[in-house]
Amino acid sequence: MGTKLTISRGEFLKLSATTGAGLVLGLYLPWKNQLAAQADQTFKPNVWVSIDTSGTVTIVMHRSEFGQKVWTSLPMILAEELEADWSRVQVVQGDLNPVYGGQSTGGSASVRTSYDKLRKAGAAAREMLISAAAQTWNVDRGECRAESGAVIHSPTGRKLGYGELVETAATLPIPEEVPLKDPKDFKIIGKSLKSLDGAAKIDGSVIYGLDFKLPGMLTAAVARCPVFGGTVASYDDSKARTVPGVRHIVPISSGVAVVADDTWSALEGRKALKVTWNEGAHARLSSEDISRTLREAAEKDGRSLRVAGDAEAALAQAETKLEVGYEVPYLDHATMEPMNCTAQVDKSSCEIWVPTQNPAAAHNAAQEITGLPDEAIKVHTLRMGGGFGRRLANDYARDAVEVAQAVTGPVKVLRTRDEDIQHGIYRPASYHHLKGGLDRKGNPLAWIHRASGPANAGFMIGPDSATYGIDLPYTIPNIHTSDITSELPVPAGPWRSVANTQLAFANESFIDELAHAARKDPYEFRRAYIKDHPRLLGVLELAAEKAGWGRRLPKGRYQGIAAHGCFRSYAAIVAEVSVDRRGRVTVHKMVCAVDCGIVINPDGVRSQVEGGITLGLTAALHGAITLEKGRVQQSNFHNYKLLTMRESPVIETYIVPSAQPPTGIGEPPVPPTPPAVTNAIYAATGIRIRRLPIDPKELQKG
Amino acid sequence: MAQISFIINGQRKSLDMDPDVRLLWVIRDSLGLTGTKYSCGMSLCGACTVHVDGDPVRSCVTAVSDVDGREVTTIEGLAEQNHPIHQAWIEEEVSQCGYCQPGQIMTAAALLAKNPKPSDKDIDQTMSRALCRCGTYQRIRRAIHRAAGEV
């Protein structure tokens, strides 16, 4: 989502002002020459990096950190080219500002889209520091080299630290072209460096959105209609107003806000508030209705996405035919930190402090609500306890801006867990109608996939971008994929890996079904038809090798395999599971191979694989948001269960060495996780799971 | 309103307040110690875990009157003690978003105090009540073993 934000140069300088002298790099700014010209007098800061006279390197985090460790991996990219002393690097959060380009953090894109620009920013700083040293020593700059936060004059061994060079460097012209390092000389990129904020995350000092506080700040909780689309008919706040600490009762578009001195008072006040709801048109909606709607839609013709050959005609000729449906429910993100936002609004300005993946969305919401000009609205990105796509939406920022408009001073609006789960922006439910045919020899002849999902999810059930989505990596002569949407009132949005979560479950289950129908090994069957996709084949083969595909397993354990590419990266997983007589599934081990191009921080990649697999397993084993009478039935972690340590398998990660440009890793491990598990369950039981979450009743014996 | 006194991270606090207020909100809102997290409010996830007289307690369901005269330690207090568990967490690079980790560490520290050399099973049993959405469980297990080697 783009921002309409415009900003004056003076405003930029003020916004980004820091104390002390520093090296200025006005890179990527339309006014960069003016900035550079000013630099010798003012030492104004730059966009990505500044160095103070003590030699401390400060790198701006222009994206959001919520567990992907971009707080460390993005600075590593810049520090590599800068030849920085890593122990002298610190990171500061960049507020919403067009100088950084896009700041929405999603699509596993932070490293991919920042790699070139952060390398260039670091290299430009390095070259200026080398020139500054050469000028200081009055020597040929070709005799100087940068190393670990200093410039060294090679013939004499003289050395000047970056801090000693910044004032001179700041007077030099910014180079237009800068040489980049040969990857074979990388010292930082490719190393499993510890997170720069590792200690702060465990001593209580990191300030998450919910921890943010301003002097005189009020706290608010909102009573919301339990039915989607419902509105306030009337409310009685006589009791709520008597609750100690309650200051204001403010009707807003999403409900009625109780504003108080502190959290407890706001929650007690909300309890005492009586609201009568106009539940609206969806007060009878149930999950059965949704399921029926999606199934019926899948019988109609949808929007064709890929047509190769004549799939229906080929299917009619096929020796073996399969026709099945797969179904997945709505899912909540259930970030450990519930949604919250702090805002302060007066007649001429609006300031927002928000744990968001998308500060521009908060800005745009504030503008829409307040009507203030761009430059009167400021958005500060705060740390967040999990994102998974939920914080791309701005619904919770809207709440805060609306409440802040009605009160004086700053106010934080927070959601309780039940509210957070019952008023999410859910991963859409979907139904997938699959038909496939094999020839006499067991070769696949035809593949037909129609994906059916809610209209408000749009692309989130169909052809999700940046690699496979609904598309197939398998070479099949006749393919027809399509999608169709139905109007449903449940809010829907991106959830870690977006449409790939549903589509890979359908595709990777159905290719497994075809393999078994052809009486072939599911791994070998995939390999045979995946040949045109070497990187996917690479991860498939690596996962199979590392997992020992087909080896003798401990009694009762079985393997399943699945592979998928998304966001330009590739992941394959071999799951090892057992199923007991009562149908209970134990996932013992997940072996994952990934190819995400050049790796910045290998341990960071492993950490994301562990995270993606955990989220995928939670979806496979537990996850379902269901509706009854228009209401979400889940309310907390007792009925919207997260995976526990006891249920958590051993996760092994193997990275395909690559010289390809870096791509994302936050999302790609998620999609193959559920089908790897259900394929293993089939191997164990002969029962095909076609509906998530896995229902042990389907697997009970006798 | 009632007078409630307790020691928190070594400091005596005396507060005149509604005795029903949950300890979590007293720690966070009144005392400004925000390392203790709100997540479920129903003792289901463990993000709010603190120690009361050394035992792990879910502060989101504990009335502040319950700690009158007792000694409370939060993540900030534990961090000051240079507990080996913090270094173990850093070495194993456990945290992702980090939000649940103060509660995980408080739960794990209480486990180690009672059981200095816990088995995988002991760890799973205690830690399975402490939820993490990011997927840090296997690193938590390793970090506890690492800290156990040093406790």
Side-chain angles (χ1 to χ4, degrees), chain A residues 59-112:
Chain A
I59 297 173
V60 173
M61 175 54 48
H62 67 298
R63 294 292 171 98
S64 302
E65 165 65 44
F66 42 94
Q68 344 82 297
K69 307 195 183 184
V70 288
W71 196 265
T72 301
S73 57
L74 296 188
M76 284 173 71
I77 297 168
L78 193 149
E80 176 68 65
E81 291 289 348
L82 178 59
E83 295 288 353
D85 172 357
W86 184 247
S87 70
R88 307 294 305 276
V89 171
Q90 63 176 22
V91 185
V92 295
Q93 179 67 52
D95 290 333
L96 178 63
N97 192 323
V99 298
Y100 303 124
Q103 287 180 269
S104 170
T105 307
S108 301
S110 294
V111 166
R112 173 168 63 81

Side-chain angles (χ1 to χ4, degrees), chain B residues 9-22:
Chain B
N9 301 334
Q11 291 189 312
R12 181 166 293 283
K13 296 282 174 191
S14 213
L15 303 164
D16 187 32
M17 66 190 317
D18 174 357
D20 287 341
V21 179
R22 298 297 177 261

Side-chain angles (χ1 to χ4, degrees), chain A residues 488-527:
Chain A
L488 288 165
V490 183
W495 186 94
R496 196 170 181 173
S497 78
V498 204
N500 295 285
T501 61
Q502 306 99 319
L503 297 167
F505 174 60
N507 284 350
E508 281 301 289
S509 295
F510 197 56
I511 198 76
D512 218 70
E513 298 210 40
L514 289 178
H516 286 286
R519 302 182 182 286
K520 294 193 177 148
D521 175 86
Y523 163 62
E524 294 297 346
F525 189 76
R526 283 174 172 81
R527 254 185 99 205

Side-chain angles (χ1 to χ4, degrees), chain B:
Chain B
M1 301 298 265
Q3 194 71 29
I4 291 153
S5 300
F6 55 95
I7 292 170
I8 183 159
N9 301 334
Q11 291 189 312
R12 181 166 293 283
K13 296 282 174 191
S14 213
L15 303 164
D16 187 32
M17 66 190 317
D18 174 357
D20 287 341
V21 179
R22 298 297 177 261
L23 178 61
L24 172 66
W25 302 118
V26 176
I27 291 171
R28 289 178 53 84
D29 287 0
S30 310
L31 304 176
L33 296 168
T34 53
T36 305
K37 303 303 184 196
Y38 167 76
S39 185
C40 74
M42 286 174 64
S43 186
L44 295 168
C45 77
C48 67
T49 302
V50 298
H51 295 171
V52 176
D53 295 339
D55 292 327
V57 162
R58 302 267 164 112
S59 64
C60 74
V61 293
T62 304
V64 66
S65 56
D66 288 351
V67 300
D68 190 30
R70 302 174 75 179
E71 192 167 344
V72 179
T73 306
T74 69
I75 188 70
E76 291 89 346
L78 193 78
E80 279 170 17
Q81 294 166 20
N82 266 332
H83 196 290
I85 206 161
H86 279 93
Q87 197 51 42
W89 240 250
I90 289 168
E91 290 300 324
E92 294 296 342
E93 191 60 35
V94 172
S95 303
Q96 289 186 35
C97 86
Y99 193 79
C100 74
Q101 298 302 337
Q104 301 281 359
I105 288 179
M106 296 308 284
T107 308
L111 167 68
L112 287 173
K114 282 218 165 71
N115 181 355
K117 291 277 175 198
S119 63
D120 274 346
K121 214 171 177 177
D122 297 334
I123 294 172
D124 281 8
Q125 187 163 342
T126 299
M127 300 306 295
S128 286
R129 293 185 65 235
L131 300 179
C132 167
R133 183 62 155 155
C134 291
T136 64
Y137 295 133
Q138 77 180 28
R139 289 172 189 249
I140 289 175
R141 202 187 282 130
R142 283 207 303 262
I144 293 173
H145 283 307
R146 180 186 280 267
E150 290 163 31
V151 165

Side-chain angles (χ1 to χ4, degrees), chain A residues 18 20 62 80 135 141 155 171 205 214 219 230 322 354 379 387 420-421 465 475 501 545 561 573 619-620 657 677:
Chain A
T18 57
H62 67 298
E80 176 68 65
Q135 189 178 305
R141 83 182 294 287
T171 66
S205 62
L214 288 167
T219 304
L322 266 74
V354 59
V379 180
D420 206 61
I421 288 180
S465 58
T475 305
T501 61
E545 179 207 322
I561 194 164
I573 295 177
V677 170

Side-chain angles (χ1 to χ4, degrees), chain A residues 147-304:
Chain A
E147 197 179 296
S148 194
V151 180
I152 296 160
H153 182 230
S154 300
T156 61
R158 278 181 290 177
K159 189 170 172 178
L160 282 169
Y162 282 176
E164 300 168 276
L165 291 168
V166 293
E167 294 198 37
T168 307
T171 66
L172 301 176
I174 296 163
E176 293 287 334
E177 296 279 328
V178 285
L180 297 179
K181 292 176 69 172
D182 185 327
K184 75 174 167 44
D185 298 324
F186 283 168
K187 297 172 199 150
I188 292 175
I189 290 175
K191 297 266 174 2
S192 289
L193 298 184
K194 300 283 182 228
S195 291
L196 288 168
D197 54 356
K201 275 178 176 165
I202 54 168
D203 64 10
S205 62
V206 166
I207 298 297
Y208 294 85
L210 207 57
D211 306 332
F212 183 71
K213 207 168 184 177
L214 288 167
M217 185 185 81
L218 297 168
T219 304
V222 180
R224 298 166 202 277
C225 182
V227 178
F228 295 118
T231 54
V232 177
S234 64
Y235 65 92
D236 171 4
D237 61 8
S238 52
K239 276 228 175 85
R241 285 183 183 279
T242 67
V243 171
V246 169
R247 299 285 161 202
H248 314 276
I249 308 291
V250 181
I252 59 173
S253 34
S254 63
V256 183
V258 178
V259 188
D261 290 336
D262 54 58
T263 316
W264 174 258
S265 308
L267 299 181
E268 289 294 290
R270 187 176 66 175
K271 259 191 234 166
L273 185 72
K274 284 186 194 137
V275 186
T276 307
W277 303 106
N278 174 1
E279 294 185 350
H282 310 299
R284 288 162 180 267
L285 187 72
S286 72
S287 287
E288 287 69 37
D289 299 333
I290 292 170
S291 181
R292 194 182 326 110
T293 300
L294 297 178
R295 282 162 182 268
E296 285 173 5
E299 285 163 22
K300 296 174 211 144
D301 283 334
R303 168 179 62 153
S304 285

